[in-house]
Amino acid sequence: MRLLFLACLSPKTGNCTTAERIRNHIVAAGHTCVLCDTREFSSASDVSSLMTQEPRVEAALAIHLFKGGRLLLGDAGVPFGVVFGGTDVNEDVKDEHKRAVMEEVLRKARFAVAFTDALKEQAQVLLGCENKKIRVQPQGIETKVALNFCWSDFLHSTGVLTKQVENLHVFLLVCGLRRVKDPLYLLEAFAEWHSQNPLVVLIIIGPVIDPVFTAEVEESVKRSVGVFLAADLSQEELHSAMQKSFALVNSSLSEGMSAAILEAMDLGLPVLARDVPGNAAIVEHKVTGLLYSSPQEFVSMSRKLLDDRELQERLVRNGKNYITTCHNPVKERITYQKLVETLH
């Protein structure tokens, strides 16, 4: 079967990583999977035209009900499935027009995949989707570190100048630079903490998604102390940097399922995440990570984590067990292969 797969493919983002992993699952089942960036199409008719060209597309899949799903509402008439992105259910649903489009997408889709039970429940309540149509499948997680990664070179290139590298505690905030990720949320509180303890630093790292907002982040970081903005890394280099850091930080206003949080758990890194529904669905407070509701609470919890070795070890151990149990890529592969068969 020849299948068209639509997703937002901004390089080095969680969306892109997820899309490539799902495509690999589909290809492994013997299908042809054509992965396209949603930003290449302006309307559903553009996608319909592509589908009717030879060789013809027989089925379709999209990540994100609005950005991807709306493009499958054309007249090509091929069966399709959708994967919730996170911002579709958490943010776009507040817009009446987008909500109406997403409701139509769900009505016409053969199946929908939610990463968490909470996301499924939200979709049922806010978009009126029937229970049996939504399958819950957590993301499968695999990490791989770069063998030639130099931590001290990375710190130096980021602007972290210290002779006490081995005593430094790096809090790494991994996110695509856009407003919903709110990377400046902790800036003032962290800068104040750094002034009291110069061996704690916050490094923000991730691809540029919104250039205007990225300029704001750059300007704010320049005026701050103890907070740095790093150049983007490859996935394997990023995993190496995560492994060398003290903790992974998430400060998003809204999340579907943060791949960075899950990857940190897999790599043996404690997680401090903002207490929003998408994060609370995968981080159990004081068990697999720490959830904070304000910058001040973040600093308080971080101080505690620094001083409490037993807490560090417990979070790391439980986080790794959680990934092994709930985010197995083999289980994910089987789920998507079975779902794609329903599009025949």
Side-chain angles (χ1 to χ4, degrees):
M1 180 167 62
R2 186 176 176 82
L3 182 139
L4 176 67
F5 188 6
L6 299 175
C8 182
L9 300 177
S10 299
K12 301 175 186 175
T13 59
N15 261 348
C16 189
T17 304
T18 299
E20 288 172 350
R21 194 177 62 251
I22 294 172
R23 176 185 59 182
N24 291 341
H25 297 333
I26 295 168
V27 170
H31 304 294
T32 299
C33 185
V34 182
L35 181 58
C36 292
D37 195 326
T38 52
R39 295 170 299 178
E40 294 174 11
F41 306 99
S42 59
S43 67
S45 60
D46 288 351
V47 173
S48 294
S49 297
L50 176 65
M51 286 178 171
T52 52
Q53 292 172 14
E54 294 294 339
R56 284 184 171 246
V57 168
E58 300 161 84
L61 183 66
I63 294 180
H64 200 286
L65 263 70
F66 187 74
K67 291 176 184 173
R70 69 184 175 89
L71 296 171
L72 297 177
L73 295 176
D75 52 15
V78 303
F80 68 86
V82 289
V83 181
F84 293 105
T87 53
D88 41 13
V89 180
N90 292 327
E91 302 296 326
D92 291 342
V93 76
K94 298 167 188 173
D95 180 297
E96 196 173 328
H97 165 66
K98 289 181 179 179
R99 187 173 69 248
V101 170
M102 293 190 292
E103 286 171 348
E104 186 181 358
V105 169
L106 280 174
R107 276 195 301 273
K108 293 187 174 180
R110 290 268 179 97
F111 64 81
V113 178
F115 294 144
T116 65
D117 290 310
L119 206 59
K120 175 179 177 175
E121 288 165 16
Q122 248 182 308
Q124 288 176 259
V125 172
L126 300 174
L127 295 168
C129 185
E130 53 187 315
N131 177 59
K132 63 183 181 182
K133 185 172 277 192
I134 306 176
R135 175 71 175 265
V136 175
Q137 175 56 56
Q139 294 193 67
I141 292 299
E142 294 175 293
T143 55
K144 187 178 179 183
V145 298
L147 298 176
N148 59 349
F149 180 77
C150 181
W151 178 235
S152 58
D153 285 354
F154 167 72
L155 292 174
H156 189 266
S157 66
T158 303
V160 182
L161 306 176
T162 177
K163 292 176 181 175
Q164 300 185 61
V165 171
E166 65 282 357
N167 296 322
L168 199 65
H169 293 102
V170 174
F171 291 75
L172 196 66
L173 198 167
V174 178
C175 69
L177 297 175
R178 54 190 176 124
R179 292 186 191 280
V180 73
K181 298 299 182 180
D182 207 9
L184 298 177
Y185 180 62
L186 300 171
L187 186 125
E188 287 184 18
F190 202 101
E192 186 178 334
W193 183 28
H194 172 80
S195 298
Q196 299 160 10
N197 180 359
L199 290 176
V200 296
V201 297
L202 176 66
I203 297 178
I204 302 166
I205 184 167
V208 174
I209 308 295
D210 178 341
V212 174
F213 179 64
T214 299
E216 290 178 28
V217 174
E218 289 171 347
E219 198 55 43
S220 296
V221 167
K222 273 182 202 168
R223 295 196 303 265
S224 178
V225 293
V227 181
F228 303 86
L229 184 61
D232 201 12
L233 297 174
S234 71
Q235 187 79 345
E236 291 183 9
E237 289 170 333
L238 177 61
H239 288 165
S240 296
M242 289 165 75
Q243 205 172 50
K244 296 281 189 182
S245 299
F246 174 73
L248 185 283
V249 179
N250 176 292
S251 60
S252 298
L253 289 163
S254 163
E255 279 288 358
M257 177 175 279
S258 167
I261 286 177
L262 299 174
E263 288 162 359
M265 289 180 181
D266 193 49
L267 289 163
L269 195 63
V271 170
L272 291 121
R274 193 167 177 176
D275 193 357
V276 297
N279 288 341
I282 58 174
V283 177
E284 186 178 353
H285 186 52
K286 293 185 178 179
V287 178
T288 58
L290 299 174
L291 294 168
Y292 64 89
S293 299
S294 69
Q296 293 71 31
E297 193 173 28
F298 167 83
V299 171
S300 173
M301 288 180 182
S302 297
R303 287 181 193 271
K304 165 76 172 163
L305 187 62
L306 277 176
D307 295 337
D308 192 336
R309 188 60 186 265
E310 193 278 326
L311 175 61
Q312 292 173 32
E313 291 174 353
R314 185 172 78 244
L315 297 183
V316 166
R317 183 174 62 249
N318 292 339
K320 183 67 176 177
N321 288 342
Y322 168 68
I323 295 299
T324 304
T325 305
C326 300
H327 294 274
N328 187 325
V330 176
K331 290 180 184 175
E332 182 188 52
R333 173 165 291 201
I334 292 167
T335 295
Y336 280 101
Q337 291 179 346
K338 285 181 177 176
L339 288 172
V340 165
E341 289 302 319
T342 70
L343 299 176
H344 264 308

